[in-house]
Amino acid sequence: MGRGTLFWGSLLVIVGGALLLDNLGLLGGISVWGIILPVVLIAIGAWIIWGSSFRRRQESEQMSVPIESAQRARVKLQHGAGKLVVTSGAPEGILFAGEFRGGIELHKSQQGDQLDIRLNPDSFAWLPGSTLDWHISLSNAVRLVLEVETGASDTRLDLAELQLDELYLKSGANATAITFPASAGFTRARIESGAASVEIRIPEGVAANIRSRAGLSSVMVDRDRFPRQGEVYQSADYQEATNKVDLDIQIGVGSVDIR
């Protein structure tokens, strides 16, 4: 159980207990809301003080999950403000290994040969001045679906060595750099961003089909590799290519550079 879950659950029990005693007439005419409001304020203040003190004592956390019998994996990263770096290079037999500053909660389940992982900030992440700094290495031994949600962050996704089937990225105001796989076969990618600078690198020898929907944004595409064909940019050998990326980009304000 996460620390945030324990705290908010305990607070709800206290408030609910006070309301129950009031309904049963056991508070002797004492105003229940006169009790609840001070208790809530004191609890939240203690939570902030304790959380800040805890952060000073525990600056980072190491975490990893073994592959075990999984052949495929879906990894969802719910990040916020700060820095997120994702690369290949997890140790043999390990699906992911990482170092996390700013608090982390892990949710894991397995159905058949697929392992589902969700990583999200713990409840300390909302404290004033808090930022997240996550560095994650993923395994190249299993087929992957990667989902990433970020806020105001610096995001670096080096996926060149991974066996990536799908990438879903949703970001706020941030700077993002993505390197796609060099030999994953077919990869589907969807990128949605509000206000961002996005740099995308597609390795040599990998074909691409690119669709872009941009608001107040500039989109630069290497047309020597990906000539424009109607509303898309597409490699001349896209249909027969062994390794290729189907890329859909939607961005509001910012810039996109695809090479």
Side-chain angles (χ1 to χ4, degrees), residues 153-183:
S153 65
D154 179 10
T155 303
R156 299 288 181 265
L157 308 179
D158 184 355
L159 314 175
E161 303 300 324
L162 298 177
Q163 299 301 304
L164 185 69
D165 289 331
E166 299 176 50
L167 169 67
Y168 299 98
L169 171 64
K170 187 173 184 179
S171 66
N174 72 348
T176 300
I178 304 171
T179 301
F180 277 97
S183 58

Side-chain angles (χ1 to χ4, degrees), residues 51 142 207 220 226:
V142 297
M220 295 176 289
F226 316 113

